[in-house]
Amino acid sequence: MTKNMDYPSNDITGQKPLNNSLLNNKIMVQGLNLYYGDNQALKTIDIDVYENKITALIGPSGCGKSTFLRCLNRMNDLISSVRVEGTVIIDGKNIYDKDVDEVSVRKRVGMVFQQPNPFPKSIYDNVSYAPLKHGMVKKGHKCDDLVEKSLLQAGLWNEVKDKLAQPGTSLSGGQQQRLCIARTIAVQPDVILMDEPTSALDPISTEKIETLMLELKEKYTIVIVTHNMQQAGRVADHTAFFHMGELIEYADTETIFINPGRKKTEDYITGRYG
Amino acid sequence: MLAIYLSKEESLIRKNILKMGHETCQAIEKAMSCYQSANPVLADEVIKNDKVINELEARVEQDCIQVIARQQPVAHDLRELLADMSIAKELERIADYAVSIAKIVKKRNFTHLELKSDILDMSKKCIFMLNEILIDYAEQDAKKANDIALLDDEIDDIEHLLNDRIFNLMQAKPTKSINYTYQLWIIHQLERVGDRVTNIAESVVFLSTGKVVNFD
């Protein structure tokens, strides 16, 4: 279990600590600090993310949850003022080791953003672009199969199979987001990071993405940042609450939403603070 | 979710539950007074007032459903609303036991029957438990609720003891066996009050600690 959190004992509060005996660690974050220049945005984060589970990161704006998410695939490396300390071990290897290529990290740890951001290319090209670039497939039947498989997994194939040559931007917002998920899946990652993936979508499209997430967790480990408490409650197996750069509480989602162990968590999720 | 509105709604629901609790306590007290004094007016009051308690229960349930649907409460807020719905149901059932006793004592005369004072003592214990658990609910005191639940064992013991004595009396005085049977029924209703108070204690523990307990 993570180090910087305390769980009241079962007997006193009914709090149910994360039972991790049957879970496989996919990502182990240890002593993670992140600085934007002199400003420390993440403070000694210790957390284990489990394989084939959905982990939700919640917390008020500016609490560090998106910054933390971007640490998991070294997206913060793109910001010049950022300095990262600590380790993020994925499948036994620290992705911040000097011998690790950040592009290969991002191939294994894909990302879906708040705003759907399809390339200004056809639906087909959106999905095939990265696999072709990485040399995973060559143009032809195998590439076609990969595009079809990815769009099927993203629950979009039936809606777009007859218009693959049309621009990705011609799709609706919800379809564009699923196209972005298909694009992420196409490079066969192990982990999918989602940064508020439905905040720009209507309830119907949101429901489709959430259903998709529940299907995808069979094959992938998913970490999602969300401001939507109900969404975390609906889809996440585990939930982590961040506040002012600190990980305040991490537990089964059920525990967080029925009987959180920390007052700060309770105040935040009940709308009394944050 | 707007916490300030949620707190107001919760407070209104709590007020209605405490009102229900007060009415329910009075119903048991009146039914037992009627048993003691054979005053049918009190029995009629209990029967008539049951409608008020039923309406309060429906009101609490509707308010809880409305708040859950509109505000999607979580954590303590959610636990409180779930506990409120459950406690309202238990109080409504306790009030039904009072009505059941009132209907019996309205048509039977127990004036010179044996064990009357023992049964009245039993009812006082039940009323004490009910009053106390309502205070524990208002104060969200899991520890005291736990203590009150323990008293149910005493109620069960009293029931067994009184039942045995009544069975003996029935054999000794078969001509009074109908009234003794009705007494058994009153004792059983009081024993059920103890069970329902225990259920309320479980809800109080859940709402204040999140712990699901079974005191049976």
Side-chain angles (χ1 to χ4, degrees), chain B:
Chain B
M1 177 179 28
L2 296 169
I4 188 164
Y5 292 113
L6 183 59
S7 297
K8 273 186 191 165
E9 304 260 21
E10 283 173 349
S11 148
L12 184 72
I13 292 168
R14 209 175 302 135
K15 209 183 266 182
N16 278 331
I17 286 185
L18 290 172
K19 193 173 170 195
M20 257 190 102
H22 175 70
E23 297 287 343
T24 306
C25 266
Q26 284 213 321
I28 300 277
E29 274 169 356
K30 280 183 185 173
M32 294 313 291
S33 284
C34 181
Y35 169 69
Q36 185 177 21
S37 62
N39 177 357
V41 177
L42 286 175
D44 283 335
E45 278 180 25
V46 172
I47 294 163
K48 199 176 158 196
N49 199 49
D50 191 48
K51 194 174 167 228
V52 173
I53 295 171
N54 289 346
E55 282 170 1
L56 276 169
E57 193 246 335
R59 173 84 190 275
V60 166
E61 190 177 62
Q62 278 170 12
D63 287 350
C64 288
I65 290 170
Q66 196 240 96
V67 174
I68 290 170
R70 295 184 62 172
Q71 308 218 34
Q72 292 104 45
V74 291
H76 185 273
D77 293 325
L78 176 64
R79 298 204 306 270
E80 175 154 358
L81 290 162
L82 295 175
D84 287 346
M85 285 171 82
S86 167
I87 290 169
K89 271 199 167 38
E90 299 296 340
L91 290 172
E92 191 273 330
R93 295 295 295 133
I94 292 173
D96 287 347
Y97 300 141
V99 169
S100 178
I101 293 170
K103 283 180 178 169
I104 292 169
V105 295
K106 205 179 147 188
K107 61 184 174 187
R108 309 297 307 183
N109 190 336
F110 299 97
T111 310
H112 298 298
L113 212 61
E114 298 85 346
L115 300 179
K116 212 165 142 182
S117 64
D118 298 272
I119 293 172
L120 284 167
D121 285 346
M122 182 186 184
S123 75
K124 281 175 192 158
K125 273 190 192 296
C126 291
I127 291 163
F128 170 78
M129 284 175 71
L130 183 53
N131 268 319
E132 288 299 308
I133 205 64
L134 289 167
I135 295 169
D136 300 340
Y137 162 71
E139 294 175 351
Q140 306 202 358
D141 191 328
K143 170 78 177 62
K144 284 188 185 163
N146 185 68
D147 293 343
I148 290 300
L150 294 176
L151 295 179
D152 188 44
D153 288 343
E154 288 180 28
I155 299 287
D156 291 345
D157 290 344
I158 293 169
E159 186 203 21
H160 292 141
L161 199 72
L162 289 175
N163 283 353
D164 288 346
R165 288 171 70 186
I166 289 176
F167 293 144
N168 288 335
L169 284 165
M170 279 171 138
Q171 283 176 331
K173 300 176 183 176
T175 53
K176 290 184 177 176
S177 62
I178 293 179
N179 268 357
Y180 289 138
T181 307
Y182 278 115
Q183 270 194 326
L184 283 175
W185 185 242
I186 291 171
I187 291 164
H188 180 63
Q189 300 297 290
L190 292 173
E191 187 276 329
R192 295 297 292 139
V193 171
D195 291 344
R196 298 284 173 180
V197 169
T198 304
N199 292 345
I200 295 174
E202 290 169 359
S203 291
V204 172
V205 171
F206 174 69
L207 90 87
S208 39
T209 68
K211 194 172 179 179
V212 177
V213 289
N214 187 349
F215 288 135
D216 289 340

